[in-house]
Short mmCIF file of all heavy atoms in Angstrom, two decimals:
data_model
loop_
_atom_site.label_atom_id
_atom_site.label_comp_id
_atom_site.label_asym_id
_atom_site.label_seq_id
_atom_site.Cartn_x
_atom_site.Cartn_y
_atom_site.Cartn_z
N GLU B 505 29.59 -5.52 -44.14
CA GLU B 505 28.16 -5.62 -43.80
C GLU B 505 27.60 -7.03 -44.00
O GLU B 505 26.58 -7.37 -43.36
CB GLU B 505 27.34 -4.60 -44.64
CG GLU B 505 27.69 -3.18 -44.25
CD GLU B 505 26.72 -2.14 -44.79
OE1 GLU B 505 25.96 -2.49 -45.74
OE2 GLU B 505 26.71 -1.02 -44.30
N ASP B 506 28.23 -7.79 -44.87
CA ASP B 506 27.77 -9.18 -45.05
C ASP B 506 27.93 -9.99 -43.78
O ASP B 506 27.09 -10.81 -43.42
CB ASP B 506 28.55 -9.87 -46.19
CG ASP B 506 28.17 -9.32 -47.56
OD1 ASP B 506 27.25 -8.47 -47.61
OD2 ASP B 506 28.80 -9.74 -48.56
N VAL B 507 29.05 -9.74 -43.08
CA VAL B 507 29.26 -10.44 -41.80
C VAL B 507 28.25 -9.97 -40.77
O VAL B 507 27.64 -10.77 -40.04
CB VAL B 507 30.71 -10.24 -41.28
CG1 VAL B 507 30.91 -10.96 -39.96
CG2 VAL B 507 31.72 -10.71 -42.30
N ALA B 508 28.02 -8.65 -40.72
CA ALA B 508 27.04 -8.11 -39.78
C ALA B 508 25.69 -8.74 -40.02
O ALA B 508 24.92 -8.99 -39.10
CB ALA B 508 26.97 -6.56 -39.91
N ARG B 509 25.39 -9.01 -41.30
CA ARG B 509 24.09 -9.57 -41.65
C ARG B 509 24.05 -11.06 -41.30
O ARG B 509 23.01 -11.56 -40.80
CB ARG B 509 23.82 -9.39 -43.14
CG ARG B 509 22.41 -9.71 -43.59
CD ARG B 509 22.11 -9.27 -45.02
NE ARG B 509 22.16 -7.82 -45.18
CZ ARG B 509 23.09 -7.14 -45.86
NH1 ARG B 509 24.06 -7.79 -46.47
NH2 ARG B 509 23.07 -5.83 -45.90
N ALA B 510 25.16 -11.76 -41.46
CA ALA B 510 25.18 -13.21 -41.22
C ALA B 510 24.97 -13.52 -39.75
O ALA B 510 24.48 -14.59 -39.40
CB ALA B 510 26.52 -13.80 -41.72
N MET B 511 25.38 -12.60 -38.87
CA MET B 511 25.23 -12.93 -37.45
C MET B 511 23.92 -12.43 -36.82
O MET B 511 23.67 -12.61 -35.66
CB MET B 511 26.45 -12.46 -36.65
CG MET B 511 26.60 -10.97 -36.52
SD MET B 511 28.14 -10.69 -35.53
CE MET B 511 28.13 -8.95 -35.33
N MET B 512 23.03 -11.93 -37.65
CA MET B 512 21.72 -11.52 -37.15
C MET B 512 20.89 -12.73 -36.71
O MET B 512 20.97 -13.76 -37.35
CB MET B 512 20.93 -10.78 -38.25
CG MET B 512 21.35 -9.35 -38.48
SD MET B 512 20.71 -8.62 -40.05
CE MET B 512 18.93 -8.76 -39.82
N THR B 513 20.14 -12.58 -35.63
CA THR B 513 19.20 -13.64 -35.28
C THR B 513 17.76 -13.11 -35.42
O THR B 513 17.25 -13.15 -36.54
CB THR B 513 19.42 -14.15 -33.84
OG1 THR B 513 19.54 -13.05 -32.95
CG2 THR B 513 20.71 -14.97 -33.76
N THR B 514 17.21 -12.51 -34.35
CA THR B 514 15.89 -11.93 -34.51
C THR B 514 16.02 -10.45 -34.91
O THR B 514 15.03 -9.73 -34.96
CB THR B 514 15.05 -12.04 -33.19
OG1 THR B 514 15.84 -11.52 -32.15
CG2 THR B 514 14.66 -13.47 -32.95
N ASP B 515 17.23 -10.00 -35.16
CA ASP B 515 17.46 -8.62 -35.60
C ASP B 515 16.66 -8.33 -36.85
O ASP B 515 16.50 -9.18 -37.70
CB ASP B 515 18.95 -8.39 -35.98
CG ASP B 515 19.89 -8.77 -34.86
OD1 ASP B 515 19.85 -9.93 -34.41
OD2 ASP B 515 20.69 -7.92 -34.47
N THR B 516 16.22 -7.07 -36.96
CA THR B 516 15.51 -6.71 -38.19
C THR B 516 16.41 -5.85 -39.09
O THR B 516 16.10 -5.68 -40.27
CB THR B 516 14.21 -5.91 -37.90
OG1 THR B 516 14.55 -4.64 -37.31
CG2 THR B 516 13.31 -6.66 -36.96
N VAL B 517 17.48 -5.31 -38.53
CA VAL B 517 18.44 -4.53 -39.33
C VAL B 517 19.87 -4.86 -38.91
O VAL B 517 20.09 -5.31 -37.79
CB VAL B 517 18.23 -2.99 -39.12
CG1 VAL B 517 16.91 -2.54 -39.70
CG2 VAL B 517 18.30 -2.63 -37.65
#
Side-chain angles (χ1 to χ4, degrees):
Chain B
E505 294 193 342
D506 289 355
V507 180
R509 192 169 294 111
M511 69 181 185
M512 282 166 61
T513 48
T514 52
D515 305 57
T516 65
V517 291

